Amino acid sequence: MDLLRACRGAWDTPDRSGDPVDLHDHGLQTAALLRRSHPADKELQVAGLVHDLGHLLFPGDDAGHADHAAEALRPLLGDRVARLVRLHVPAKRYLAAVEPARALSPQSALTLRAQGGVMGPDEVRAFAADPEAEAAVTLRQADDAGKVVGLDAGVMEDWRPVLELVAAGAYARTR
């Protein structure tokens, strides 16, 4: 919770030239969208809440932020949340390939190049075959939509019970 609260006033780019909301509001908005569209999938919702923590942990590393976040979160929130967090960048590359007319925020379009660019046909097939591909695309779509200045998506403390539930499940699976 402390790390999530630290996202207040932290941005995806050190100079604030990126997306129009801070990481705190972006995480809340993304998680709220996922809660609405997939109310039973708590791990997906939590992945939405925490997917960009890598920007806080390693500022300026657009290409590696998903991997950094996934590694940091795996011990606490489990393999599936970490996998979804890791896949939100490949999901952007995938969507850029299969929906080329789909609009990205200016910052997402800029970082797409640093993250490997649009997937080629072999990468598209491999990504689509991943058992978590559909959930990762859903996360990515919420990620892209969760950048609205001034939108009230609740407060971070409201997510504590969901985080505790997911963390308890991850802990139980490792025992």
Side-chain angles (χ1 to χ4, degrees), residues 2-57:
D2 289 340
L3 186 59
L4 288 168
R5 281 194 284 279
C7 289
R8 170 75 66 202
W11 301 82
D12 59 341
T13 57
D15 65 359
R16 290 190 54 181
S17 64
D19 287 323
V21 295
D22 66 13
L23 295 174
H24 177 273
D25 289 348
H26 176 57
L28 284 173
Q29 289 179 27
T30 303
L33 289 166
L34 293 165
R35 178 183 274 169
R36 242 178 264 132
S37 66
H38 292 77
D41 194 341
K42 303 304 183 201
E43 291 174 323
L44 178 60
Q45 295 166 26
V46 167
L49 187 66
V50 301
H51 74 280
D52 272 346
L53 283 177
H55 287 300
L56 184 68
L57 299 171

Side-chain angles (χ1 to χ4, degrees), residues 11 15-16 40 45 58 108 122 151 155-156 164:
W11 301 82
D15 65 359
R16 290 190 54 181
Q45 295 166 26
F58 293 88
S108 286
D122 292 341
L151 179 69
V155 295
M156 196 60 74
E164 288 173 350

Side-chain angles (χ1 to χ4, degrees), residues 22-111:
D22 66 13
L23 295 174
H24 177 273
D25 289 348
H26 176 57
L28 284 173
Q29 289 179 27
T30 303
L33 289 166
L34 293 165
R35 178 183 274 169
R36 242 178 264 132
S37 66
H38 292 77
D41 194 341
K42 303 304 183 201
E43 291 174 323
L44 178 60
Q45 295 166 26
V46 167
L49 187 66
V50 301
H51 74 280
D52 272 346
L53 283 177
H55 287 300
L56 184 68
L57 299 171
F58 293 88
D61 188 358
D62 291 324
H65 81 279
D67 293 335
H68 295 307
E71 288 308 309
L73 295 166
R74 176 175 280 110
L76 180 60
L77 298 173
D79 290 337
R80 182 164 184 253
V81 171
R83 180 107 176 101
L84 292 172
V85 167
R86 186 179 306 278
L87 286 174
H88 88 274
V89 170
K92 174 170 72 171
R93 298 181 59 230
Y94 170 82
L95 285 169
V98 300
E99 297 177 15
R102 186 171 188 277
L104 291 172
S105 73
Q107 182 64 17
S108 286
L110 180 67
T111 59

